[in-house]
């Protein structure tokens, strides 16, 4: 069994601040990506609720996020850049994969 975890957070951005949030996040991603144990991330914008974003971050293990990133000076910069956009503050949860079904191969 792998220790890899997937961090999940629904980010409720203050309406009208979406463009500013996306710009700040684009800059902030360099901070998180430099953290040891970081395995990649995606941010998706909700179609039905355009002020809501889904953040998914892969970590080598839970501690890489909860102790490594959150305990780093980079996290303080991340927080200053992004946390003021959220209302309410997001709940962050961690998941371990139990099943994967790949989609069909694509042709070019």
């Amino acid at each position: 069994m792998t220790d890899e975890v997937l961090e999940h957070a629904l980010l409720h951005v203050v309406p009208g601040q979406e463009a500013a949030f996306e710009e700040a996040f684009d800059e902030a991603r360099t901070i998180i990506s430099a953290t040891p144990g970081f395995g990649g991330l995606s941010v998706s914008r909700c179609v039905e609720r355009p002020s809501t974003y889904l953040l998914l971050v892969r970590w080598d293990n839970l501690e890489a996020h909860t102790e490594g990133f959150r305990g780093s000076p980079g996290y303080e910069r991340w927080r200053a850049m992004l946390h003021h956009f959220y209302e309410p503050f997001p709940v962050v949860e961690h998941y371990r994969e139990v099943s994967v079904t790949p989609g069909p191969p694509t042709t070019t």
Side-chain angles (χ1 to χ4, degrees):
M1 182 169 146
T2 178
D3 286 340
E4 183 177 276
V5 296
L6 181 64
E7 172 192 351
H8 166 282
L10 284 178
L11 309 176
H12 301 282
V13 172
V14 174
Q17 294 294 306
E18 298 88 354
F21 165 74
E22 290 179 21
E23 185 176 318
F25 194 93
D26 195 46
E27 184 178 339
R29 76 177 52 242
T30 62
I31 298 168
I32 196 171
S33 65
T35 304
F38 171 83
L41 69 74
S42 71
V43 176
S44 303
R45 190 172 183 182
C46 183
V47 174
E48 293 83 6
R49 292 173 288 130
S51 293
T52 301
Y53 294 79
L54 172 62
L55 171 65
L56 298 172
V57 184
R58 291 207 174 273
W59 295 100
D60 288 349
N61 54 58
L62 182 62
E63 294 75 20
H65 178 225
T66 60
E67 296 171 19
F69 179 57
R70 287 193 178 162
S72 71
Y75 180 71
E76 294 304 316
R77 290 180 41 228
W78 169 276
R79 192 169 72 170
M81 294 172 76
L82 298 174
H83 286 195
H84 64 278
F85 287 108
Y86 309 140
E87 184 58 44
F89 194 76
V91 172
V92 176
E93 298 176 310
H94 300 89
Y95 294 82
R96 286 206 170 89
E97 202 167 75
V98 294
S99 179
V100 176
T101 305
T106 58
T107 58
T108 54

